[in-house]
Amino acid sequence: MMNSDNNGRFKRFLAAIIGFGAISVFAQDGGISAGDTAWILVATALVLFMNIPGLALFYGGLVRKKNVLSVLMQCFVLTAVMTVLWTVVGYSLAFSGTGMSEGEVNLRSFVGGLDLMMLKGVTPDTPADNIPKLLHFVFQMTFFIITPALMVGAFVDRIKFSAVLWFTILWNLLVYAPVCHMVWGGAGGYFADMGVQDFAGGIVVHITAGVGALVACIVLGPRNGYPKKPMPPHNLPMTVMGAAMLWVGWFGFNGGSQLAADGGAASAIVVTQISAATATLAWMFIEWAKFGKPSMLGAATGSIAGLAAITPASGTVGPIGALVIGAMSGTICWWASTVLKQKLKYDDSLDVFGVHGVGGFIGTVMLAFLMSEELGGVGYGEGVTVRSQFGVQLFAAVATAVYTAIVSFIILKIVCAVVGLRVSEAEENEGLDLAYHGEEAYND
Amino acid sequence: MMNSDNNGRFKRFLAAIIGFGAISVFAQDGGISAGDTAWILVATALVLFMNIPGLALFYGGLVRKKNVLSVLMQCFVLTAVMTVLWTVVGYSLAFSGTGMSEGEVNLRSFVGGLDLMMLKGVTPDTPADNIPKLLHFVFQMTFFIITPALMVGAFVDRIKFSAVLWFTILWNLLVYAPVCHMVWGGAGGYFADMGVQDFAGGIVVHITAGVGALVACIVLGPRNGYPKKPMPPHNLPMTVMGAAMLWVGWFGFNGGSQLAADGGAASAIVVTQISAATATLAWMFIEWAKFGKPSMLGAATGSIAGLAAITPASGTVGPIGALVIGAMSGTICWWASTVLKQKLKYDDSLDVFGVHGVGGFIGTVMLAFLMSEELGGVGYGEGVTVRSQFGVQLFAAVATAVYTAIVSFIILKIVCAVVGLRVSEAEENEGLDLAYHGEEAYND
Amino acid sequence: MMNSDNNGRFKRFLAAIIGFGAISVFAQDGGISAGDTAWILVATALVLFMNIPGLALFYGGLVRKKNVLSVLMQCFVLTAVMTVLWTVVGYSLAFSGTGMSEGEVNLRSFVGGLDLMMLKGVTPDTPADNIPKLLHFVFQMTFFIITPALMVGAFVDRIKFSAVLWFTILWNLLVYAPVCHMVWGGAGGYFADMGVQDFAGGIVVHITAGVGALVACIVLGPRNGYPKKPMPPHNLPMTVMGAAMLWVGWFGFNGGSQLAADGGAASAIVVTQISAATATLAWMFIEWAKFGKPSMLGAATGSIAGLAAITPASGTVGPIGALVIGAMSGTICWWASTVLKQKLKYDDSLDVFGVHGVGGFIGTVMLAFLMSEELGGVGYGEGVTVRSQFGVQLFAAVATAVYTAIVSFIILKIVCAVVGLRVSEAEENEGLDLAYHGEEAYND
Amino acid sequence: MKKIEAIIKPFKLEEVRDALSEVGVVGMSVSEVKGFGRQKGHTEIYRGSEYTVDFLPKIKIETVVSDDKVDAVIEAIASAAKTGKIGDGKIFVLPVGNAIRIRTDEKGEEAI
Amino acid sequence: MKKIEAIIKPFKLEEVRDALSEVGVVGMSVSEVKGFGRQKGHTEIYRGSEYTVDFLPKIKIETVVSDDKVDAVIEAIASAAKTGKIGDGKIFVLPVGNAIRIRTDEKGEEAI
Amino acid sequence: MKKIEAIIKPFKLEEVRDALSEVGVVGMSVSEVKGFGRQKGHTEIYRGSEYTVDFLPKIKIETVVSDDKVDAVIEAIASAAKTGKIGDGKIFVLPVGNAIRIRTDEKGEEAI
Ligand SMILES: Nc1ncnc2c1ncn2[C@@H]1O[C@H](COP(=O)(O)OP(=O)(O)O)[C@@H](O)[C@H]1O
Ligand SMILES: Nc1ncnc2c1ncn2[C@@H]1O[C@H](COP(=O)(O)OP(=O)(O)O)[C@@H](O)[C@H]1O
Ligand SMILES: Nc1ncnc2c1ncn2[C@@H]1O[C@H](COP(=O)(O)OP(=O)(O)O)[C@@H](O)[C@H]1O
């Protein structure tokens, strides 16, 4: 995903330097392209669709019957809250380019200004290169919604609803917005100026969400009875449905991040599809080999791992790179979500860290190798080597993880002090649906 | 949504008068734009998706287990029936412009002629301005399908299947088609000539459906045991899934009504998103304040109220307008669906009137204020004041409501006389799935 | 659907000969059209959506509770496996045009070469006429995924998971790829050169899948206890949801097969909608007349029959043709799935043959009559008569059916010898979810 | 003490519960059962496969009461659950040896 | 009168019902239970969390019959439900004090 | 032989099962019931329609044991299921005439 301000420039740069010429015919003339606009309108709908119903169902099916509504509610209400927050101030913090200048590190390298609050000055005919600025705004909004929603999986079954709201609001302002700005905020952004490659959000979305989730589940503590008490998914078909919707919606997430309807968008969905498929198969074969039975939950989880991992790389690698990233993420995320988690004994209930955190990390660093032209990638920029690119990727990934961990921890402590984080034991036994929302999911 | 015949003109008018220039580069040259066509192809799919599976699931989850198939069946078969009806005669009645002339009130101001029956003379290369006429036909068809399907929520659990078919067929011919023609039928249309603003169907869709539903549920009478007997939703996750699909699909409903992939379409989905979000939060906070627990059903219902309310205004208001409409609809529709309904004791089972009727009304009249340029709207046409616009909006809304109420009542009486409206008490106890469709939804 | 290599030519041919001029303005200038690309990006997502979650849910709801995950797993993992297979070799076998020459019958008339393996030489800016070649690749991939997945319905409840994988992999290489090549592989393709019309896959998708499914269910034998033991669908709302998703996704299947966002695509979705609707009503009225109660399952099945049947004809017939094909398929597929199946006593569990095989056949042969200009179709090519077209259609349909039957039978025998086809009786009693995947779908 | 098991039509549950409350029954457990009896089932047809559903949904109510209440309880259930149509259900009376309230370890009639 | 409670394997339900019909049992109620016994459960693994499912799905059939039918009924159920493999289930016989048909107020053996 | 029926709070199932195993009970059947008793239900509000849910989810455990085990079993269940809060549930003891193991046709105490 590219910032609206340097999108055109970046494309021309790519076209010039690395022969990546499949740019839609109207992107260059400065006007708004109906074709590009059509695609990003749809991509926006697809990413919203990933969150509700996609992610909500994926997570909802995995919890116990008594907590399913609480999970759906969190995904649903985060959609609403983050929409308002993005409109009021989030977009400005993430994408205002005022005060930035390429190569110079100042406050605006880390976070945007406030001049775009409430979309000041933006009308339907304000362009962001080839598409309307309002479309850039709403497409990016869907990322601002889904990133905190991903974290929901780590604290299901035991967190107060009000704590979810406070935590995610503060987190989106203090973690998501600045990281997004550093990577996608345009020339002058801290990571952008280093030449970091994060096409659709390996760092911005998956590493931040994965690390935030890990910290949250550690601070919250494990569910009552975990890991002794069995807590099987109450409705796996619901989870599979959600996974499938995430998969389909990811075409909008990655393909839309090209911000144009061209060969780059097509390439993004091709590698997305290949990585998802390969990771699905990797996870499946591991289970088949190890337990004798490949599970549906495993295959579905594998697909999400492959999708998360290809996200940062979907603009830079080709089919071979996608096969490698898919296979690696299917394998390593499996290991992280099962072996590692059990060893370290944290209760990341729905494996947000193991799947998104680890997957996002894999894609972010591996793309340094796989973007090479010999492997079908777009190749390196002028003066960039695989080594230097790798260094930048690693630095940005690790720095983001550390920053996210620290800030998440502080926010959680504050929220804990103010409204409390964890439900009472009686409420946990009763289930959050009744205790916090006064409803039951299924009635006769 | 604009009539195909005056769409281009209206856009140029807007562009000239109010600086609404973000029109896709190819809309003006008279040819068919691939970009605009791409978007409307998708928008058509999105609106169909709203109805099946979206609305079907939203309603299906809210009824008792024994009636869920009857609700799905009504939504599904209405899709089929209205497709054929629209092809045979509906499109012509709604959109034939023959015999209309701006400023003149004649029969054709109220209903279209029959010259477009069975799409006479329309081939794949017949344009409707910037898109193929066949696409205009099928996009509008989805509105003809979903409007009567919305009414299903008012008469669940107790209506004969045959009565649903007869009522909706007659209603679509006698209510939907003429109202649609008066608003969107082009210059010379009764309401259009007054300068009514109804971008995507506040009057045409939501007021007609809401009022029709209210009349139907009153004529039918309440469900057996209502309101004493508890009739909790049998599957709330199904309802949430449906609400989420409606939300996503609404991007096609409102964004597609621009009939182009441009800044206007982007603006429509931005305000749609903001209004849905704000209404969700409003409904949630009311419940939180009043009952101590915000419910998932409340949040989902709030989102639909916000979506219904922004519909007529989604081409004319900006983000501020959307916030206001969202907050108002979340609050007032909550009141209408709970307090008012209980006071007046009608059994509008799934709150079609409280949500769609009231929501559509709010958006229709409020846009007169919120379209002002100071509030980020498109501004008023030449010679139009907020007062005059408000008068037109109010007149059209009320006239449509009265017309709909009377005609719905007459149709219901006729249908009652011919095939009967209400199932027997034994059938109501047994459930409509078995009694009318010979099936059970869930088996072991 | 047209081969990328002769798509432009074919369109110009059509435009010249039969006045089918509604071609998007940029399709002709040789460059990549953003508008067309936008639409095919979305159509790709829609066809993927048809398979997961659409088809998976449609089938999953129809089986018993103990087998639902096995069905979802098969649809899900086929998506992954076929993605890799298509990338490695499938696309090349189906769409490599090397060595083909119009009017000459050689090996390459039947199957493509290996030069496009692993997308060799294809970059984001390689065009396939008006869209990126990568997009042609991934759009066609979704057909390669869904065709074998359709067959899953015939062997549910009793087939080994490994057998599904082996059977479908070999089948896709030996049946799907060559048939696809003969029809859509471009000038020089065996059926293409005869002038066969198969717009979106009546022969390529539905006849192959239907016949393959029939052979498979006969070789496998009926489910334990069939037909005496009742095996009602465990979750009909799930099936209805799946059917609705298939319906919506089919807009991408048929509309996308135009490979452009133009009047042809609009026409395809119009006839798709009309045929689905008419078939739904036909099936419903038959049940209503015969049993006194129209069932939801019947209506949903009818819609799929109508969608399958219009598929080959969706680029050539008009609304009248769609009404005829819809009515015929609703009626004849009903007969095939109920009367015929019971008479012949094969256990095509979810009626893949009765719906897809028979539906695909109806559309394929009927289009010869209905494409006539008098009936609103595109008319016949130069020197083509209804009789000659009918002969070609019938020949291609029957030849494909015979070829598919023979090859499917041989593959099944091989798979049976190598890994075995059928689960043990104990496993069938226990359910495949536990026996093969170690999971249960629903837990408390 | 006796255990009263009543099989009733599902839509009668609320009425029966109210009737029981009136005769002083403060505890009961309710479950869904499928009933097979004189009441004919119906036919369901799934894509032409017709089959008879003999098992009809019923509600089973179980309540343990002291011996002196048995007749009143039977009377209360029977009159609340009656529709007069076939399939109304049955009431069975079973002997109970002992009862224990888990919370307090009370035993016998104290416990119910 | 006796109440016969049989716990059987789910897929044997139709056979048992038919066997009961043959020995003249016209009424019964059926419910789903989870059974715990000698039959070993299985292991399910969800993302690496392995746990043992000890409770297996079983069907409980309850039917009240006159004393003279008890043996025939037991015999009918046992032979229809038998697979010879572990987990086939149990039959229990419980005394019944009285039975009432709600529809008609018939009492005792008339009612069953 | 006696049949022990225990109504307990759902989240206590694993503990009760373990307690039963310890006193040598190897077989039992478990089902979901809705319980009505002294424990107050809660209120649910759906779009303003408020209604009281009196029936709370409970688990019913049924196990047939030999007479000499009855007290130990009651004791085991009671102590494992106790939370001391209202709604903990009940244990009922019913006489059993006979038991049959379907697999082997064993009868009486052999069978349980
Ligand atoms: N002998 C029996 N033992 C146990 N349950 C019975 C018996 N007979 C009937 N039932 C239950 O009572 C229900 C109603 O019985 P049925 O014979 O259909 O009608 P009626 O109660 O009017 O005679 C049955 O569905 C079944 O659940
Ligand atoms: N003592 C018992 N009391 C009640 N139900 C029992 C008892 N023993 C077994 N059961 C039920 O019978 C089922 C089968 O018992 P099990 O010991 O597994 O095999 P088998 O019947 O072959 O000895 C169990 O799953 C349980 O539902
Ligand atoms: N007389 C009774 N007969 C059968 N079941 C009962 C009876 N009384 C209570 N129960 C069951 O026991 C459960 C707990 O009883 P309740 O009165 O709520 O609390 P407690 O057991 O603490 O006295 C009830 O929900 C119901 O399922």
CSV table of all heavy atoms in Angstrom, one decimal, chain D residues 25-29 62-65 101-103 111-112, chain F residues 7 33-39 56 58 85-90 92, ligand 3:
chain,number,residue,atom,x,y,z
D,25,VAL,N,-45.1,-26.5,43.3
D,25,VAL,CA,-43.9,-27.1,42.9
D,25,VAL,C,-42.9,-26.0,42.6
D,25,VAL,O,-43.1,-25.2,41.7
D,25,VAL,CB,-44.1,-28.0,41.7
D,25,VAL,CG1,-42.8,-28.5,41.1
D,25,VAL,CG2,-45.0,-29.2,42.0
D,26,VAL,N,-41.8,-26.1,43.3
D,26,VAL,CA,-40.8,-25.0,43.1
D,26,VAL,C,-39.6,-25.4,42.3
D,26,VAL,O,-38.8,-24.6,41.9
D,26,VAL,CB,-40.3,-24.4,44.4
D,26,VAL,CG1,-41.4,-23.7,45.1
D,26,VAL,CG2,-39.7,-25.5,45.3
D,27,GLY,N,-39.5,-26.7,42.0
D,27,GLY,CA,-38.3,-27.1,41.2
D,27,GLY,C,-38.7,-28.2,40.2
D,27,GLY,O,-39.6,-29.0,40.4
D,28,MET,N,-38.0,-28.1,39.0
D,28,MET,CA,-38.2,-29.1,38.0
D,28,MET,C,-37.1,-29.0,37.0
D,28,MET,O,-36.4,-28.0,37.0
D,28,MET,CB,-39.6,-28.8,37.3
D,28,MET,CG,-39.6,-27.6,36.4
D,28,MET,SD,-41.3,-27.2,35.8
D,28,MET,CE,-41.9,-26.3,37.2
D,29,SER,N,-36.9,-30.0,36.2
D,29,SER,CA,-35.9,-30.0,35.2
D,29,SER,C,-36.7,-30.4,33.9
D,29,SER,O,-37.5,-31.2,33.9
D,29,SER,CB,-34.8,-31.0,35.4
D,29,SER,OG,-34.2,-30.7,36.7
D,62,GLU,N,-39.5,-33.2,34.5
D,62,GLU,CA,-39.2,-34.1,35.6
D,62,GLU,C,-39.3,-33.3,36.9
D,62,GLU,O,-38.6,-32.3,37.0
D,62,GLU,CB,-37.8,-34.7,35.5
D,62,GLU,CG,-37.7,-35.6,34.3
D,62,GLU,CD,-36.3,-36.1,34.1
D,62,GLU,OE1,-35.5,-35.4,33.4
D,62,GLU,OE2,-35.9,-37.1,34.6
D,63,THR,N,-40.1,-33.7,37.8
D,63,THR,CA,-40.1,-33.1,39.1
D,63,THR,C,-40.3,-34.1,40.2
D,63,THR,O,-41.1,-35.0,40.1
D,63,THR,CB,-41.1,-31.9,39.2
D,63,THR,OG1,-41.1,-31.3,40.4
D,63,THR,CG2,-42.5,-32.5,38.9
D,64,VAL,N,-39.6,-33.9,41.3
D,64,VAL,CA,-39.7,-34.8,42.4
D,64,VAL,C,-40.5,-34.1,43.5
D,64,VAL,O,-40.2,-32.9,43.8
D,64,VAL,CB,-38.3,-35.2,43.0
D,64,VAL,CG1,-38.5,-36.0,44.3
D,64,VAL,CG2,-37.6,-36.0,42.0
D,65,VAL,N,-41.6,-34.7,43.9
D,65,VAL,CA,-42.5,-34.1,44.9
D,65,VAL,C,-42.8,-35.0,46.0
D,65,VAL,O,-42.6,-36.3,45.9
D,65,VAL,CB,-43.8,-33.7,44.2
D,65,VAL,CG1,-43.5,-32.7,43.1
D,65,VAL,CG2,-44.6,-34.9,43.7
D,101,ARG,N,-30.1,-32.2,48.6
D,101,ARG,CA,-29.9,-30.8,48.0
D,101,ARG,C,-28.4,-30.6,48.1
D,101,ARG,O,-27.8,-30.6,49.2
D,101,ARG,CB,-30.6,-29.7,48.8
D,101,ARG,CG,-30.4,-28.4,48.2
D,101,ARG,CD,-30.9,-27.2,49.1
D,101,ARG,NE,-32.3,-27.4,49.6
D,101,ARG,CZ,-33.4,-27.2,48.9
D,101,ARG,NH1,-33.3,-26.6,47.7
D,101,ARG,NH2,-34.5,-27.4,49.4
D,102,ILE,N,-27.7,-30.5,47.0
D,102,ILE,CA,-26.2,-30.4,47.0
D,102,ILE,C,-25.7,-29.2,47.8
D,102,ILE,O,-24.7,-29.4,48.6
D,102,ILE,CB,-25.7,-30.3,45.5
D,102,ILE,CG1,-26.1,-31.6,44.8
D,102,ILE,CG2,-24.2,-30.0,45.5
D,102,ILE,CD1,-25.7,-31.6,43.3
D,103,ARG,N,-26.3,-28.1,47.7
D,103,ARG,CA,-25.9,-26.9,48.3
D,103,ARG,C,-25.8,-27.1,49.8
D,103,ARG,O,-24.8,-26.6,50.5
D,103,ARG,CB,-26.8,-25.7,48.0
D,103,ARG,CG,-26.6,-24.5,48.7
D,103,ARG,CD,-27.3,-23.3,48.1
D,103,ARG,NE,-28.7,-23.6,47.8
D,103,ARG,CZ,-29.7,-23.3,48.6
D,103,ARG,NH1,-29.5,-22.7,49.7
D,103,ARG,NH2,-31.0,-23.6,48.2
D,111,ALA,N,-35.2,-31.6,50.8
D,111,ALA,CA,-34.3,-31.3,49.8
D,111,ALA,C,-35.0,-30.9,48.5
D,111,ALA,O,-34.4,-30.3,47.6
D,111,ALA,CB,-33.4,-32.5,49.5
D,112,ILE,N,-36.3,-31.1,48.4
D,112,ILE,CA,-36.9,-30.9,47.1
D,112,ILE,C,-37.6,-29.6,46.9
D,112,ILE,O,-37.7,-28.8,47.9
D,112,ILE,CB,-37.9,-32.0,46.7
D,112,ILE,CG1,-39.0,-32.1,47.7
D,112,ILE,CG2,-37.2,-33.3,46.6
D,112,ILE,CD1,-40.1,-33.2,47.5
F,7,ILE,N,-28.6,-33.4,39.3
F,7,ILE,CA,-28.7,-32.2,38.5
F,7,ILE,C,-27.6,-31.3,39.0
F,7,ILE,O,-27.6,-30.9,40.2
F,7,ILE,CB,-30.1,-31.5,38.7
F,7,ILE,CG1,-31.2,-32.5,38.7
F,7,ILE,CG2,-30.3,-30.4,37.8
F,7,ILE,CD1,-31.6,-33.0,37.3
F,33,VAL,N,-30.2,-30.3,30.6
F,33,VAL,CA,-31.5,-30.0,30.9
F,33,VAL,C,-31.6,-28.5,31.2
F,33,VAL,O,-30.6,-27.9,31.4
F,33,VAL,CB,-32.1,-30.8,32.1
F,33,VAL,CG1,-32.0,-32.3,31.8
F,33,VAL,CG2,-31.3,-30.5,33.4
F,34,LYS,N,-32.9,-28.1,31.3
F,34,LYS,CA,-33.1,-26.7,31.7
F,34,LYS,C,-33.7,-26.8,33.1
F,34,LYS,O,-34.7,-27.5,33.3
F,34,LYS,CB,-34.1,-26.0,30.8
F,34,LYS,CG,-33.6,-25.8,29.4
F,34,LYS,CD,-32.8,-24.6,29.3
F,34,LYS,CE,-32.2,-24.4,27.9
F,34,LYS,NZ,-31.3,-23.2,27.8
F,35,GLY,N,-33.1,-26.1,34.1
F,35,GLY,CA,-33.6,-26.3,35.4
F,35,GLY,C,-34.4,-25.1,35.9
F,35,GLY,O,-34.1,-23.9,35.6
F,36,PHE,N,-35.4,-25.4,36.7
F,36,PHE,CA,-36.3,-24.3,37.3
F,36,PHE,C,-36.3,-24.6,38.8
F,36,PHE,O,-36.5,-25.7,39.2
F,36,PHE,CB,-37.7,-24.5,36.7
F,36,PHE,CG,-38.6,-23.5,37.1
F,36,PHE,CD1,-38.7,-22.3,36.4
F,36,PHE,CD2,-39.5,-23.7,38.2
F,36,PHE,CE1,-39.7,-21.3,36.8
F,36,PHE,CE2,-40.4,-22.7,38.6
F,36,PHE,CZ,-40.5,-21.5,37.9
F,37,GLY,N,-36.0,-23.6,39.6
F,37,GLY,CA,-35.9,-23.8,41.0
F,37,GLY,C,-35.8,-22.5,41.8
F,37,GLY,O,-36.3,-21.5,41.3
F,38,ARG,N,-35.2,-22.6,42.9
F,38,ARG,CA,-35.1,-21.4,43.7
F,38,ARG,C,-34.2,-20.3,43.1
F,38,ARG,O,-34.3,-19.1,43.3
F,38,ARG,CB,-34.6,-21.8,45.1
F,38,ARG,CG,-35.6,-22.4,46.0
F,38,ARG,CD,-35.1,-22.8,47.3
F,38,ARG,NE,-36.1,-23.6,48.0
F,38,ARG,CZ,-36.5,-24.8,47.7
F,38,ARG,NH1,-35.9,-25.5,46.7
F,38,ARG,NH2,-37.5,-25.4,48.3
F,39,GLN,N,-33.1,-20.8,42.4
F,39,GLN,CA,-32.2,-19.9,41.8
F,39,GLN,C,-32.9,-19.0,40.8
F,39,GLN,O,-33.7,-19.5,39.9
F,39,GLN,CB,-31.1,-20.7,41.0
F,39,GLN,CG,-30.0,-19.9,40.4
F,39,GLN,CD,-29.1,-20.7,39.6
F,39,GLN,OE1,-29.3,-21.9,39.4
F,39,GLN,NE2,-28.0,-20.1,39.2
F,56,LEU,N,-32.7,-22.4,33.7
F,56,LEU,CA,-31.3,-22.2,33.6
F,56,LEU,C,-30.6,-23.5,33.1
F,56,LEU,O,-31.1,-24.6,33.4
F,56,LEU,CB,-30.7,-21.9,35.0
F,56,LEU,CG,-31.3,-20.6,35.5
F,56,LEU,CD1,-31.0,-20.4,37.0
F,56,LEU,CD2,-30.7,-19.4,34.7
F,58,LYS,N,-28.6,-26.7,33.1
F,58,LYS,CA,-28.1,-27.6,34.1
F,58,LYS,C,-27.6,-28.9,33.3
F,58,LYS,O,-28.1,-29.1,32.2
F,58,LYS,CB,-29.1,-28.0,35.1
F,58,LYS,CG,-29.7,-26.8,35.9
F,58,LYS,CD,-28.8,-26.4,37.0
F,58,LYS,CE,-29.3,-25.1,37.6
F,58,LYS,NZ,-28.4,-24.4,38.5
F,85,LYS,N,-23.5,-22.0,46.5
F,85,LYS,CA,-24.4,-20.9,46.0
F,85,LYS,C,-25.7,-21.5,45.6
F,85,LYS,O,-25.7,-22.7,45.1
F,85,LYS,CB,-23.8,-20.1,44.9
F,85,LYS,CG,-22.5,-19.5,45.3
F,85,LYS,CD,-22.3,-18.0,44.8
F,85,LYS,CE,-20.9,-17.5,45.0
F,85,LYS,NZ,-19.9,-18.3,44.2
F,86,ILE,N,-26.7,-20.8,45.6
F,86,ILE,CA,-28.0,-21.3,45.2
F,86,ILE,C,-28.0,-21.8,43.8
F,86,ILE,O,-27.3,-21.3,42.9
F,86,ILE,CB,-29.1,-20.2,45.4
F,86,ILE,CG1,-30.5,-20.9,45.4
F,86,ILE,CG2,-29.1,-19.2,44.3
F,86,ILE,CD1,-31.5,-20.0,46.1
F,87,GLY,N,-28.7,-22.9,43.5
F,87,GLY,CA,-28.7,-23.5,42.2
F,87,GLY,C,-27.7,-24.7,42.0
F,87,GLY,O,-27.6,-25.1,40.9
F,88,ASP,N,-27.1,-25.1,43.1
F,88,ASP,CA,-26.1,-26.2,43.0
F,88,ASP,C,-26.8,-27.5,42.5
F,88,ASP,O,-26.1,-28.3,41.9
F,88,ASP,CB,-25.5,-26.4,44.3
F,88,ASP,CG,-24.3,-25.5,44.5
F,88,ASP,OD1,-23.9,-24.8,43.6
F,88,ASP,OD2,-23.7,-25.6,45.6
F,89,GLY,N,-28.1,-27.7,42.8
F,89,GLY,CA,-28.7,-28.8,42.2
F,89,GLY,C,-29.1,-29.9,43.2
F,89,GLY,O,-29.0,-29.7,44.4
F,90,LYS,N,-29.5,-31.0,42.7
F,90,LYS,CA,-30.1,-32.1,43.5
F,90,LYS,C,-29.6,-33.4,43.2
F,90,LYS,O,-29.1,-33.6,42.0
F,90,LYS,CB,-31.6,-32.1,43.3
F,90,LYS,CG,-32.4,-30.8,43.3
F,90,LYS,CD,-32.8,-30.5,44.8
F,90,LYS,CE,-33.8,-29.4,44.8
F,90,LYS,NZ,-33.3,-28.2,45.4
F,92,PHE,N,-31.1,-37.4,43.2
F,92,PHE,CA,-32.2,-38.3,43.5
F,92,PHE,C,-31.8,-39.7,43.4
F,92,PHE,O,-31.0,-40.1,42.5
F,92,PHE,CB,-33.4,-38.0,42.5
F,92,PHE,CG,-33.9,-36.6,42.6
F,92,PHE,CD1,-33.8,-35.7,41.5
F,92,PHE,CD2,-34.4,-36.0,43.8
F,92,PHE,CE1,-34.3,-34.4,41.5
F,92,PHE,CE2,-34.8,-34.7,43.8
F,92,PHE,CZ,-34.8,-33.9,42.7
G,3,LIG,N1,-38.2,-30.9,43.0
G,3,LIG,C1,-37.3,-31.0,42.0
G,3,LIG,N2,-37.4,-32.0,41.0
G,3,LIG,C2,-36.6,-32.1,40.0
G,3,LIG,N3,-35.5,-31.2,39.8
G,3,LIG,C3,-35.4,-30.2,40.7
G,3,LIG,C4,-36.3,-30.0,41.8
G,3,LIG,N4,-35.9,-28.9,42.5
G,3,LIG,C5,-34.8,-28.4,41.9
G,3,LIG,N5,-34.5,-29.2,40.8
G,3,LIG,C6,-33.4,-29.0,39.9
G,3,LIG,O1,-32.3,-28.5,40.6
G,3,LIG,C7,-31.8,-27.2,40.1
G,3,LIG,C8,-31.4,-26.4,41.3
G,3,LIG,O2,-32.4,-26.1,42.2
G,3,LIG,P1,-32.6,-24.7,42.9
G,3,LIG,O3,-33.8,-24.7,43.7
G,3,LIG,O4,-32.4,-23.6,41.9
G,3,LIG,O5,-31.3,-24.5,43.8
G,3,LIG,P2,-30.8,-25.4,45.0
G,3,LIG,O6,-30.4,-26.7,44.4
G,3,LIG,O7,-29.6,-24.6,45.5
G,3,LIG,O8,-31.8,-25.5,46.0
G,3,LIG,C9,-33.0,-26.7,39.4
G,3,LIG,O9,-32.6,-25.8,38.4
G,3,LIG,C10,-33.7,-27.9,38.8
G,3,LIG,O10,-33.0,-28.3,37.6
